[in-house]
Amino acid sequence: MIPPNPSLDNYREVFTSEQYPIALWIKNSVVIGLITSTLVVIMTSFAAYAFSRFRFKGRRTGLFASLLVQVFPQMLAAVSIYLLVLSIGRLIPALGINTHAGLIMVYLGGAMGVNAWLMKGYFDTIPNSLEESAMIDGASPFQAFFMIILPLARPILAVVFLLQFIGVYSELILASVLITSTEKYTLAVGLQLFIQDQYASRWGVFAAASVLGALPIVLLFVFLQKYLVTGLISGAVKG
């Protein structure tokens, strides 16, 4: 049932509240998500290419080990991760507790397993002859990878980027453990402030912030949608 006098007060508070800077939380989540997703794509592309093209001792074991580590969620090691980041922060304050860089570093540590498998499956579908032809024409192995393979692998790069962004953008447990100041909260951490008290829940603002917080994911999906189906199907049919 639609209320008799609907208003935009809840949406207005998202951008005007000084006690709860929701717009800043959305910005923090978007920045952390974009940086993490970009670094994950770069790291995973190098790892997946090595597993796909090179034959070396321990290759199969390394693949299964990276996948096995991914089976256990990072939240199971929240205490260990906190102590590790705390120790790193004593040496490098910029990577310590209550820093976005430290949170990004933790996210990168758990991003290789499934993404490497998915991207490797796509690289396996690209013929080796393309790189061989490029190297015959004088290209180095890195040039062949960067100029031939990566442009052809744009669909799977888009898939990994989007999946990683969604995962980081909505992650709560580690962000709530490692981020302690209000101005550095991510959206997921900040929104819990509106519903954690049984007798002071503010569901209107919570719902408005949730709707606005979903927009970056929707926009990113619209921007990358032409690559998604191809990337998911091609990366899953051959391993």
Side-chain angles (χ1 to χ4, degrees):
M1 180 176 179
I2 300 177
N5 296 310
S7 69
L8 298 177
D9 290 343
N10 290 322
Y11 288 95
R12 202 172 292 115
E13 187 169 348
V14 169
F15 297 100
T16 59
S17 175
E18 295 182 0
Q19 183 180 5
Y20 301 109
I22 303 174
L24 179 61
W25 297 342
I26 295 175
K27 176 185 175 182
N28 291 341
S29 295
V30 170
V31 170
I32 291 173
L34 290 177
I35 294 176
T36 303
S37 301
T38 301
L39 294 177
V40 166
V41 167
I42 294 173
M43 292 168 52
T44 306
S45 62
F46 282 115
Y49 182 75
F51 283 125
S52 175
R53 290 296 193 260
F54 303 142
R55 298 296 179 265
F56 51 88
K57 186 176 181 180
R59 168 178 169 272
R60 188 175 183 84
T61 303
L63 274 172
F64 280 106
S66 64
L67 187 61
L68 180 62
V69 171
Q70 189 95 19
V71 170
F72 302 96
Q74 287 179 310
M75 61 178 294
L76 294 179
V79 175
S80 300
I81 291 174
Y82 177 86
L83 295 175
L84 180 61
V85 175
L86 184 64
S87 299
I88 293 175
R90 291 168 182 163
L91 300 175
I92 310 175
L95 298 178
I97 299 296
N98 197 36
T99 64
H100 290 164
L103 183 61
I104 291 172
M105 179 181 64
V106 171
Y107 287 151
L108 292 177
M112 292 296 294
V114 175
N115 292 330
W117 273 90
L118 188 64
M119 197 175 292
K120 174 190 174 298
Y122 193 95
F123 284 161
D124 287 343
T125 66
I126 301 176
N128 294 346
S129 57
L130 296 177
E131 299 152 86
E132 295 171 355
S133 299
M135 286 186 279
I136 289 175
D137 290 335
S140 66
F142 180 78
Q143 288 175 322
F145 167 71
F146 186 75
M147 302 178 67
I148 304 297
I149 301 302
L150 285 187
L152 295 175
R154 279 179 294 183
I156 195 61
L157 300 180
V159 168
V160 171
F161 185 92
L162 180 61
L163 294 179
Q164 190 64 38
F165 181 86
I166 293 174
V168 169
Y169 190 82
S170 59
E171 199 278 327
L172 171 63
I173 303 298
L174 292 177
S176 62
V177 170
L178 299 177
I179 302 298
T180 58
S181 60
T182 303
E183 69 275 6
K184 293 188 177 182
Y185 278 171
T186 61
L187 180 62
V189 177
L191 287 183
Q192 70 176 341
L193 298 178
F194 292 98
I195 59 174
Q196 65 184 0
D197 190 341
Q198 180 180 358
Y199 301 103
S201 298
R202 304 181 61 191
W203 292 102
V205 180
F206 177 86
S210 298
V211 171
L212 294 176
L215 291 180
I217 295 177
V218 173
L219 294 175
L220 190 60
F221 180 84
V222 171
F223 181 73
L224 298 176
Q225 63 179 334
K226 64 180 180 179
Y227 300 112
L228 298 181
V229 174
T230 303
L232 284 170
I233 293 176
S234 300
V237 298
K238 185 175 181 181

